[in-house]
Amino acid sequence: APRWCSFLESITEELEETAQQTVYEDFKFITRAELDELGAVGLIGTNDLKAYMHGYFMDMKLYSKLRAVSKPFEYEEHRKKLLQRKIQSKRESRITPRRRTKASNKSNSSVDPRFAALLDREEFTVDEESEHFK
């Protein structure tokens, strides 16, 4: 902090030293629609839900239990999706082999014209009947 506001530095140091827990740190904010999904509409008006603006605050432990009961296979589906993503990324990173075509000295359209004369020479011809070729 600048010299002219040294008191700000002392204030910020004090704030850093005191770790305060916020009031709703262990609570999850959920809306009415989420309550319907969880099947917890019956908790409205009880001490388990605290009404706040357009929704409610619910204890995180209770929320995780209700979520586990209402969607029992959610974790397994999540794991399957992660596994599929990992497999897909590995597939994309693989080097795909290029398929080679059979070499032939006959007029091949993919041969570079600079080397066509070289490949037509008899010393570079492939004898398909020889033992080395088979």
Side-chain angles (χ1 to χ4, degrees):
R3 285 188 316 227
W4 54 270
C5 59
S6 60
F7 64 92
L8 286 178
E9 189 169 339
S10 62
I11 291 174
T12 55
E13 286 178 5
E14 288 175 17
L15 290 174
E16 289 174 359
E17 290 172 3
T18 58
Q20 297 177 0
Q21 182 180 5
T22 57
V23 177
Y24 294 111
E25 187 173 295
D26 296 331
F27 289 88
K28 168 85 174 156
F29 181 81
I30 56 176
T31 62
R32 176 69 184 230
E34 289 174 309
L35 277 176
D36 289 336
E37 287 179 20
L38 294 174
V41 178
L43 294 176
I44 296 175
T46 64
N47 291 336
D48 294 327
L49 291 179
K50 296 178 181 164
Y52 185 78
M53 297 182 86
H54 61 280
Y56 303 91
F57 278 112
M58 178 186 284
D59 185 43
M60 268 312 280
K61 292 178 185 176
L62 177 63
Y63 175 77
S64 59
K65 287 179 185 177
L66 286 172
R67 188 161 180 102
V69 169
S70 69
K71 299 178 182 180
F73 302 110
E74 183 178 35
Y75 179 72
E76 292 174 18
E77 291 170 4
H78 175 68
R79 294 282 298 166
K80 286 180 183 178
K81 286 179 185 177
L82 285 178
L83 186 62
Q84 290 297 329
R85 284 186 202 145
K86 190 180 247 186
I87 290 171
Q88 186 65 25
S89 66
K90 284 190 177 191
R91 281 184 188 154
E92 292 171 357
S93 67
R94 285 187 196 152
I95 299 173
T96 56
R98 293 188 180 158
R99 298 180 188 234
R100 291 185 172 191
T101 58
K102 260 191 171 177
S104 67
N105 291 339
K106 298 173 185 142
S107 63
N108 192 351
S109 62
S110 66
V111 174
D112 192 337
R114 298 175 291 174
F115 305 111
L118 179 69
L119 293 175
D120 288 338
R121 291 176 37 193
E122 189 166 321
E123 43 191 84
F124 295 112
T125 59
V126 176
D127 184 14
E128 295 180 4
E129 301 299 323
S130 73
E131 291 180 19
H132 297 290
F133 183 75
K134 294 179 182 179

